[in-house]
Amino acid sequence: MKDPISIVIPDDYPPAYAGQPELSHLRDLGDVRLYADRASDPQELVERLSGAQFMVNVRAYTTIDADLLSQLPKLCMIAVFGTGTDNIDLQAAAALGISVTNAPGANARSVAEHSIALILAVARAIPQHDRLLRGGLWQHVDGVELQGKTLGVIGMGNIGREVAAMGAALGMRVVAWSRTHNSDRAERAGASLMELDELLRSADVVSINIALSDSTRGMIGERELGLMRRDAILVNTARGALVDEPALVKSLAEHRIRGAGLDVFEAEPLLPNSPLLRLDNVVVTPHSGWVTDDARKRVLAMPVHNIAEFIAGRPANVVNPESLAHSRWIM
């Protein structure tokens, strides 16, 4: 009898798959091992993944580098829970014939709505009003209307295009920058492309919706923040490392920009002593942009689908397609 396929979820903390129907669907495909806590070190992660043919990577804190991959000779495919793959060495995986898949668009609507929610929360000082009222003070904090203002969207992927469309629906003028400079894609989302510096200078609101890579890491630093208007709002629902966090703290503390709405941070979970938490012009959420019932169902289902398709010989949503040309797959 053929041995069952081995599937490992090494990082289901905080829990995503535990207790969900999708875990049963994974078990229909093979033998599943789920770990409901964080590996204490890289060696423990190797031990958890020993013998795995398929890995479901739930959390971005799990570093999947060349050293780890070299110790997993049976691994065929990594199915990412969500879209981000910046924690994975995609080239090393491809060189070993390990395919990496993700869930494009599965959480786009929810993250985009969260971006807009953060924009409104900062623009209308909603958290400040809530805190004041709960503290017994009937006090107003001036806000700003969004209609007629300029929304600058950095990144024209699935999420960025949704943010652009929602901004346009609010009556905002939408401008965008993307690495691909695809003007047709931007126009379909109601946005006009421009250079990044020009966007930063002209936008009343800047929304970061771009993938983290070597070329985008730290792309919004002290210089870029200095280009922004003093009454501008910065929102980041993508990855914390896209922004130089100390530079952002300084800019906010000195009121060089109006405020920020942040769902992501350089280090997660955000430390209780983070200087961001001491600033009144910042709204923070715990990387929860994707956390809706609707998006959760789609994001949970996609890795199961991707593994099933790979087993059936129909690889889907592969982000390093060169892995499929590896000699281990050529009969």
Side-chain angles (χ1 to χ4, degrees):
M1 182 180 294
K2 189 175 181 180
D3 291 336
I5 289 170
S6 174
I7 304 169
V8 177
I9 307 174
D11 53 1
D12 196 44
Y13 177 80
Y17 278 95
Q20 298 298 320
E22 288 78 10
L23 184 58
S24 296
H25 299 161
L26 270 178
R27 288 183 170 136
D28 290 339
L29 299 174
D31 177 46
V32 177
R33 300 200 312 271
L34 179 147
Y35 296 87
D37 59 357
R38 241 176 129 152
S40 58
D41 54 45
Q43 185 54 44
E44 183 178 356
L45 186 59
V46 171
E47 292 168 2
R48 290 183 176 191
L49 290 165
S50 176
Q53 295 165 282
F54 294 86
M55 169 188 177
V56 179
N57 171 216
V58 176
R59 301 299 172 195
Y61 59 65
T62 300
T63 299
I64 305 171
D65 57 18
D67 182 59
L68 173 71
L69 293 169
S70 68
Q71 299 178 70
L72 304 173
K74 293 186 178 182
L75 191 64
C76 301
M77 194 260 266
I78 300 168
V80 174
F81 176 85
T83 57
T85 58
D86 48 281
N87 61 313
I88 303 173
D89 188 330
L90 296 176
Q91 289 186 333
L96 293 167
I98 300 170
S99 296
V100 179
T101 68
N102 67 353
N107 61 7
R109 180 73 188 191
S110 289
V111 176
E113 288 183 1
H114 197 77
S115 299
I116 298 296
L118 286 173
I119 292 169
L120 288 165
V122 178
R124 299 307 305 271
I126 292 171
Q128 293 96 315
H129 283 129
D130 181 81
R131 288 194 295 269
L132 288 167
L133 196 54
R134 290 175 188 274
L137 294 176
W138 188 273
Q139 181 178 328
H140 293 167
V141 179
D142 284 345
V144 60
E145 286 186 352
L146 296 179
Q147 185 175 27
K149 302 298 192 299
T150 297
L151 169 63
V153 181
I154 298 177
M156 280 279 99
N158 291 315
I159 297 170
R161 294 198 304 275
E162 291 271 13
V163 172
M166 292 179 196
L170 288 171
M172 302 185 78
R173 168 181 174 254
V174 184
V175 297
W177 176 87
S178 74
R179 288 174 297 174
T180 61
H181 302 290
N182 187 324
S183 57
D184 290 340
R185 174 184 284 186
E187 287 174 9
R188 287 195 296 271
S192 301
L193 282 185
M194 60 173 52
E195 294 301 318
L196 182 59
D197 283 4
E198 185 183 359
L199 180 152
L200 293 170
R201 289 190 185 99
S202 61
D204 299 286
V205 178
V206 175
S207 179
I208 303 175
N209 305 102
I210 197 166
L212 178 63
S213 66
D214 289 340
S215 63
T216 60
R217 186 178 298 275
M219 66 181 295
I220 304 298
E222 184 175 3
R223 187 190 77 85
E224 290 74 22
L225 291 164
L227 296 176
M228 292 177 63
R229 302 161 57 111
R230 292 189 70 88
D231 58 352
I233 295 168
L234 178 71
V235 168
N236 187 7
T237 57
R239 284 289 190 267
L242 292 163
V243 179
D244 180 335
E245 202 164 280
L248 177 59
V249 168
K250 182 179 180 182
S251 182
L252 289 164
E254 296 176 357
H255 296 279
R256 296 182 185 177
I257 62 174
R258 182 184 187 91
L262 306 173
D263 188 47
V264 289
F265 309 92
E266 285 189 2
E268 297 181 3
L270 186 64
L271 295 175
N273 63 350
S274 169
L276 288 167
L277 299 177
R278 298 194 295 269
L279 298 171
D280 286 338
N281 54 347
V282 181
V283 178
V284 293
T285 53
H287 204 149
S288 57
W290 67 276
V291 184
T292 63
D293 290 342
D294 306 277
R296 184 185 295 275
K297 290 174 184 176
R298 294 191 294 267
V299 175
L300 282 168
M302 191 63 80
V304 183
H305 167 80
N306 288 343
I307 291 174
E309 289 295 285
F310 195 92
I311 292 170
R314 300 185 297 267
N317 301 311
V318 178
V319 297
N320 61 341
E322 60 274 22
S323 63
L324 300 171
H326 193 275
S327 59
R328 70 190 292 190
W329 304 122
I330 298 174
M331 302 299 180

